[in-house]
Structures are given as structure tokens and as C-alpha cells.
Amino acid sequence: MIDVYLFSGFLGSGKTSLLLNVIQELKAAGKTPAVFMNEFGNLKVDSNSIEGEVPLKELLDGCICCSGAEKTEAQLQGLLEENDHIDVILIETTGAAHPVEALDAVYSPLFADRLQVKGIVTVVDSKLWINRDTLSPRVRALYMEQIKHAHLLLANKIDLLSADELATVTMELSNFNSSAPLIQTVNAKLSFSYIENVLKSKKNRTSEAVISGAGLPLSSKLITFSESVKMDEFENWVKSLPDTVYRMKGFVPVAGTKNPYLFQYAYGMVNWMPEYVKMEPRLVIIGEGIAEIDYNNSAKY
């Protein structure tokens, strides 16, 4: 399985600097990194900095999350199919992306047995943290969410702070997300080996990959189907699940049909779409406390 690292952070925080530093270190170690960049707008800006020999895919004029999820899946699939060997995939989201929603596209049933998401590294502009009250309420909320859901925090641009400001930033960020180690950086310089060790997980992505942040444990779980289901029975089962199930996506085999249906669930709404090619019957669930959920072992309605 290929390890995946998600680099998050607000506009101008230093994500691309971190990305370039990590790429250089991985190449020096003889490893092959691949890069997926989510640009905001339709011009190549940050991606022009990536050297040509590094496998690269871009999502322009859209967001890796929400409506861009399908495009993201297609680009990731292309990245995997076009390259014989990849050791690590580095995903840099746009500064306007919510990190947890960005994971939705990566946790696709298409890649369930190929990608292992190791965690979210969020780069924080330390000066902006001090001045966060100058942001509009909506923008500030996104900025805080990016920090809240990090597994590793980089307090970047500390060279622009006074000693008192640095102490304040360190204390406040540590209190805001107490579960994420906090590292002070200049130009987002941090060794990949350190990131790798911090985010190392003993759990297998295909069973349950824990992505915890700020005391809010999110996890993903892969369910495979041993037999076809009836649509109404399956929907009743979905309705019986706890509110802590946030997202479901996959291919569900439906009785009387040739190919599994594409099934999606979000915010209490279900959606079925017929597939014209035979896909592997499996479903990815994202939520909290979902370890025991399994349709195959549940009481059928």
C-alpha cells in the first residue's frame, strides 16, 4: 500500500515550501514521491515549482472536497495507473479546503486496497494566528478548522515573531489542538522522517484507519459484501446507523441487477446511481465510533 500525507493550511501559510522540502528529502533517500496539488483558480501557480521528474496531478478551478471529489478520484486513479512505482503520495490542498472533507475523495472504494492515509499536516502562519480576529467570521472558522483537525502542527514563520508572541502562539495552538504535536518552523523546514514517525500508525488502512484531531476521533472502515442486498432493506439499515456516521461511498450489489450500484450517503441523504461496468462490491464509511458497524453481520430489515 502507498502511504498518503495530506498537507493542509491557510493561503500563504507555507504548504508549498513544506512540500518542496519533503520532495527533496525523499528523492535524496532514493524514494519516489508523487504529488497531487489542488489549485484554487485555473492557473498553474504552485505546481510550476515541482520538478518535472516527479509524478504530478493537479485539480484546477475546483476544490478537492465537495463537488471536486469525483475529479479528485479520477486524477488519483490516473496518478496510480500512469506510474509503475510510487513510494509516497503527497497531497497539497488549496488554502480554502476543509481538511476532513478533502480526505473524503482519498477514502474512495477505488483505492481502499492501495492507499493508506497517514494523517494531516497543517502549516500555520504564526503571524496570522495572532491577527486571526481580523479575518471575516467565515474565513476565520475555516482557518480554525484546518488547525483543529491536524495530526501534526507546524507553527511556521516564527522568525517574524517577538519572543512574547512566540510564547503566546505556542501556548494557544497547543491548547486549541492538544492532540497534535506542535513544531516551530521557519520556511516550513521539517524533516520528512520526523513527520513519518509522528504519523506512524499500527493499524491497517483496510480495517480501520484512525484520523483523530482535537479529541474528535474520526475513522474510516471498509465493508465488503458477501451477497446482494435489497435496496429498501439496505436503506433501512443506513437509517438505523448512529448520527456519528457522516459519509458513505462505494459500490453496493443490488439483487436483480448485473453490476453493483454506486451508493453515496451524506448529511442524512442517500443516492443510488447505476454502474455500467462491474466494480468491486465494497463500501467505505467515515465517522466516529464505527468499528463495530458491518452490514453483513447486522440484523436485516
Side-chain angles (χ1 to χ4, degrees), residues 3-289:
D3 290 342
V4 179
Y5 295 84
L6 186 76
F7 293 167
S8 176
F10 201 64
L11 300 165
S13 61
K15 296 188 302 298
T16 302
S17 296
L18 173 64
L19 179 67
L20 295 176
N21 292 337
V22 167
I23 289 173
Q24 185 177 17
E25 181 180 341
L26 286 169
K27 291 176 64 179
K31 294 184 178 181
T32 303
V35 175
F36 185 90
M37 298 190 75
N38 180 200
E39 306 259 17
F40 194 76
N42 55 14
L43 295 176
K44 299 181 182 181
V45 183
D46 291 342
S47 56
N48 286 333
S49 304
I50 306 299
E51 298 178 32
E53 64 268 26
V54 175
L56 169 70
K57 286 291 183 181
E58 304 156 285
L59 181 64
L60 299 176
D61 196 22
C63 182
I64 193 173
C65 53
C66 305
S67 60
E70 286 73 21
K71 293 180 182 178
T72 303
E73 287 184 7
Q75 292 284 55
L76 283 173
Q77 191 167 23
L79 192 67
L80 294 170
E81 292 178 355
E82 294 166 15
N83 299 279
D84 295 332
H85 179 73
I86 296 174
D87 292 306
V88 180
I89 295 178
L90 308 171
I91 298 178
E92 180 189 337
T93 67
T94 173
H98 190 294
V100 174
E101 292 179 345
L103 285 175
D104 176 52
V106 186
Y107 279 130
S108 166
L110 298 175
F111 318 124
D113 55 354
R114 302 185 69 183
L115 302 182
Q116 180 169 249
V117 179
K118 305 302 286 188
I120 302 170
V121 181
T122 298
V123 184
V124 182
D125 183 333
S126 298
K127 200 72 176 179
L128 183 59
W129 173 265
I130 293 174
N131 300 314
R132 61 190 181 280
D133 289 340
T134 63
L135 300 172
S136 69
R138 183 176 180 181
V139 172
R140 184 169 64 249
L142 173 62
Y143 176 66
M144 303 294 278
E145 284 290 297
Q146 291 173 342
I147 297 169
K148 173 184 176 182
H149 291 288
H151 301 100
L152 175 62
L153 284 171
L154 273 62
N156 196 32
K157 305 183 182 180
I158 62 169
D159 53 321
L160 304 180
L161 304 180
S162 66
D164 288 343
E165 288 175 330
L166 178 56
T168 298
V169 168
T170 301
M171 180 186 66
E172 291 180 349
L173 286 176
S174 297
N175 289 335
F176 185 69
N177 185 346
S178 59
S179 66
L182 176 66
I183 307 300
Q184 300 172 0
T185 60
V186 176
N187 296 325
K189 288 186 177 179
L190 181 66
S191 70
F192 177 72
S193 58
Y194 180 85
I195 296 173
E196 195 174 26
N197 287 333
V198 169
L199 300 182
K200 188 176 293 182
S201 172
K202 296 180 181 179
K203 295 193 175 184
N204 190 303
R205 164 68 180 85
T206 57
S207 57
E208 183 182 7
V210 175
I211 48 172
S212 60
L216 183 65
L218 293 170
S219 62
S220 75
K221 181 170 184 179
L222 178 68
I223 290 179
T224 57
F225 293 88
S226 56
E227 58 185 18
S228 297
V229 308
K230 295 181 179 179
M231 273 193 180
D232 56 344
E233 290 182 353
F234 188 77
E235 288 194 20
N236 286 335
W237 173 75
V238 170
K239 292 175 183 177
S240 74
L241 297 177
D243 293 338
T244 52
V245 173
Y246 303 133
R247 188 81 165 94
M248 304 172 72
K249 183 197 302 184
F251 300 98
V252 178
V254 176
T257 62
K258 180 180 179 181
N259 299 318
Y261 269 65
L262 171 62
F263 176 82
Q264 298 195 64
Y265 169 88
Y267 306 107
M269 303 293 291
V270 300
N271 183 44
W272 298 87
M273 291 186 64
E275 278 290 332
Y276 299 100
V277 294
K278 188 172 181 60
M279 306 297 291
E280 287 294 323
R282 52 193 182 188
L283 182 74
V284 175
I285 303 176
I286 300 175
E288 303 171 42

